[in-house]
Amino acid sequence: MSFETISVIGLGYIGLPTAAVFASKGKNVIGVDINVHAVETINRGDIHIVEPELGDVVREAVKAGHLRATTQAEAADAFLIAVPTPFMGDHQPDLSYVKAAALSIAPVLKAGDLVILESTSPVGATEQMAEWLAEARHDLRFPQHGDDCNVHIAYCPERVLPGKVMVELLENDRVIGGMTPACSARASDLYRIFLRGECVETNARTAEMCKLTENSFRDVNIAFANELSLICAEQGINVWELIALANRHPRVNILQPGPGVGGHCIAVDPWFIVAQNPDLARLIRVAREVNDAKPAWVLDQVKQQLAECLTASGKRANEVTIACFGLAFKPNIDDLRESPAMTVAHLIAEWHSGCTLVAEPHVSKIPTRLADEATLVSIEDALQQADILVMLVDHAQFRAIPMSQITQPWIVDTKGVWR
Ligand SMILES: NC(=O)c1ccc[n+]([C@@H]2O[C@H](COP(=O)([O-])OP(=O)(O)OC[C@H]3O[C@@H](n4cnc5c(N)ncnc54)[C@H](O)[C@@H]3O)[C@@H](O)[C@H]2O)c1
């Protein structure tokens, strides 16, 4: 059965690009979101998130009548759920958004439909979603008990890079985790509408674990680099030089340290594995702890630089200006969510009695969290006014600063830009 009408539930960083590419292939796409502002913006042909090239695709799709947004689920042939899956205070995954989304589509489901969960989820979440749907619709047969079903369900995680979503959505290989082989086959048919990468079929539990594994792999490897940076600081060794040398080994590829790990994926998803396997996931838990502890360590480095600055300059602490370079959670983007650079800037500004400046070329206004304690300035002003420089994000603009302009002897460089 072909997919003439496709519904995407959750029109955020993942759902909206997905809806837009299906629509660009001439499908009738109904986007559903509880956020009225998002729905109204999309229906005007605009976008409410920042992602290169997305605006053009959405504008065209809405203009051509292929994409429409609404707050209420409507009948469709396939449903893709891309709602948030945060963790709760105790690092347990919060599936309440997935449950609400599943229950919202249950009344409009019909025999022959396909339901795909795309949200990053703990192992077993797809089976749980199938249970919620089965409880809501006794008249339909779901795949819990094998291929004798008339609604197919699959888990298909997203692995796009923010900033390159419109390219990677089409190009990346896709893990297709059907609850049964027939579910996988049908989900592959759906993605092949736009996918140029390969559909690699497996079962739902493996696909769920695959997404968590990818981000845990990154987190553990960054934690290794971050731990090395602590050890090297103690031993008087330049960690950047060390890693470059070690990476000359043909089978060594150490990642780069930084002020911590941020964003809403790598810093979150490993906890889903830890929550389900508290006794077994020891390395994954420690990696999270190492990365989460890094901002406080950076603050300690700044405190040491301040002590040296006070001794050498004869100034009082409240006469010293500290400039932080960067707030985003990674280079060359404006996304400040879960950013360790934000955390470091906040820790510095909260502790320091003197002036704290922030240079962040990707934002035009100081974020609310820092508004009372720090001042947003240009790169030039930060370099001219600061006694202590703290490099937090290796934006291209910071890498382009000539070394001749770095005259301060007191530097904390978490990204190795000024090594
Ligand atoms: N952003 C990424 O780079 C990325 C990459 C891979 C996977 N993921 C995963 O994809 C999922 C979505 O992430 P995102 O970044 O798109 O989140 P997001 O916050 O940008 O978007 C989620 C959208 O879902 C909407 N929503 C919440 N509950 C809803 C409901 N019951 N019905 C309809 N809409 C609802 C919200 O209003 C929001 O617009 C998460 O599980 C995330 O971990 C994200």
Side-chain angles (χ1 to χ4, degrees):
M1 212 188 302
S2 69
F3 301 100
E4 285 317 312
T5 303
I6 298 167
S7 182
V8 179
I9 318 298
L11 298 171
Y13 285 87
I14 294 301
L16 183 55
T18 307
V21 293
F22 276 121
S24 74
K25 296 291 174 189
K27 295 294 169 187
N28 173 33
V29 179
I30 303 165
V32 183
D33 204 296
I34 52 173
N35 178 343
V36 176
H37 165 70
V39 166
E40 289 175 352
T41 306
I42 294 163
N43 283 335
R44 282 198 309 272
D46 289 334
I47 56 174
H48 62 295
I49 54 176
V50 178
E51 180 59 43
E53 296 172 37
L54 175 63
D56 291 345
V57 185
V58 168
R59 190 177 318 110
E60 283 304 310
V62 171
K63 203 167 129 199
H66 292 310
L67 174 62
R68 178 169 58 84
T70 169
T71 53
Q72 292 293 324
E74 296 179 19
D77 305 315
F79 296 85
L80 293 99
I81 296 179
V83 295
T85 41
F87 58 66
M88 295 181 282
D90 53 0
H91 293 133
Q92 295 291 324
D94 176 0
L95 287 182
S96 59
Y97 296 88
V98 174
K99 183 173 186 181
L103 294 181
S104 77
I105 64 168
V108 297
L109 271 185
K110 61 184 184 316
D113 284 355
L114 168 67
V115 180
I116 291 181
L117 180 58
E118 282 207 3
S119 301
T120 304
S121 298
V123 173
T126 310
E127 292 160 357
Q128 173 65 74
M129 183 183 77
E131 281 302 323
W132 287 324
L133 291 173
E135 283 164 18
R137 290 295 302 269
H138 294 284
D139 55 321
L140 294 171
R141 293 193 311 281
F142 294 89
Q144 284 87 323
H145 310 296
D147 264 335
D148 178 30
C149 57
N150 55 14
V151 175
H152 288 112
I153 297 184
Y155 179 74
C156 303
E158 189 50 74
R159 42 165 67 136
V160 288
L161 182 71
K164 285 182 76 180
V165 171
M166 299 310 284
V167 176
E168 293 208 350
L169 199 52
L170 307 183
E171 305 286 343
N172 290 357
D173 292 341
R174 196 95 201 197
V175 176
I176 308 282
M179 283 185 66
T180 67
C183 293
S184 292
R186 211 154 139 62
S188 292
D189 285 346
L190 179 72
Y191 285 104
R192 284 197 194 103
I193 291 170
F194 67 76
L195 194 72
R196 292 200 282 265
E198 203 180 317
C199 289
V200 189
E201 295 182 9
T202 180
N203 58 46
R205 293 175 75 86
T206 308
E208 288 161 344
M209 188 63 184
C210 184
K211 173 68 189 172
L212 303 181
T213 300
E214 290 162 13
N215 283 342
S216 298
F217 173 86
R218 301 274 303 157
D219 200 45
V220 168
N221 281 278
I222 298 168
F224 181 71
N226 275 334
E227 188 163 291
L228 278 179
S229 73
L230 271 54
I231 294 167
C232 285
E234 194 67 26
Q235 301 286 346
I237 293 169
N238 180 324
V239 69
W240 314 99
E241 183 192 1
L242 172 84
I243 291 173
L245 291 172
N247 283 348
R248 295 284 185 117
H249 184 293
R251 285 166 298 283
V252 171
N253 186 12
I254 303 169
L255 300 184
Q256 303 294 302
V261 168
H264 32 86
C265 291
I266 299 181
V268 174
D269 304 348
W271 286 120
F272 291 4
I273 298 181
V274 175
Q276 288 186 317
N277 309 274
D279 297 331
L280 298 174
R282 292 183 298 160
L283 179 64
I284 296 170
R285 182 212 313 270
V286 169
R288 275 287 64 247
E289 289 167 356
V290 167
N291 288 332
D292 276 354
K294 193 77 192 285
W297 181 85
V298 176
L299 176 65
D300 284 342
Q301 300 292 301
V302 177
K303 287 180 178 174
Q304 280 179 29
Q305 292 299 303
L306 177 70
E308 288 177 24
C309 170
L310 296 183
T311 309
S313 68
K315 286 185 176 181
R316 288 197 299 267
N318 62 4
E319 295 165 345
V320 171
T321 296
I322 301 178
C324 296
F325 287 75
L327 292 177
F329 85 81
K330 60 179 195 168
N332 307 323
I333 61 166
D334 67 345
D335 193 343
L336 311 184
R337 292 182 296 173
E338 319 293 333
S339 169
M342 272 287 288
T343 305
V344 173
H346 176 66
L347 287 173
I348 291 172
E350 217 181 20
W351 149 79
H352 181 45
S353 59
C355 178
T356 302
L357 306 177
V358 173
E360 174 46 88
H362 294 280
V363 303
S364 54
K365 191 167 151 265
I366 190 87
T368 316
R369 188 177 168 201
L370 292 174
D372 294 337
E373 47 199 26
T375 309
L376 187 69
V377 293
S378 67
I379 295 173
E380 295 71 29
D381 286 351
L383 288 171
Q384 271 169 23
Q385 294 171 26
D387 301 285
I388 300 175
L389 307 183
V390 185
M391 169 56 68
L392 296 173
V393 188
D394 48 342
H395 288 315
Q397 292 93 329
F398 299 155
R399 287 200 176 274
I401 300 170
M403 280 309 286
S404 57
Q405 287 187 23
I406 312 293
T407 53
Q408 291 78 348
W410 303 293
I411 295 176
V412 175
D413 183 355
T414 69
K415 292 307 299 178
V417 174
W418 292 324
R419 69 196 163 105

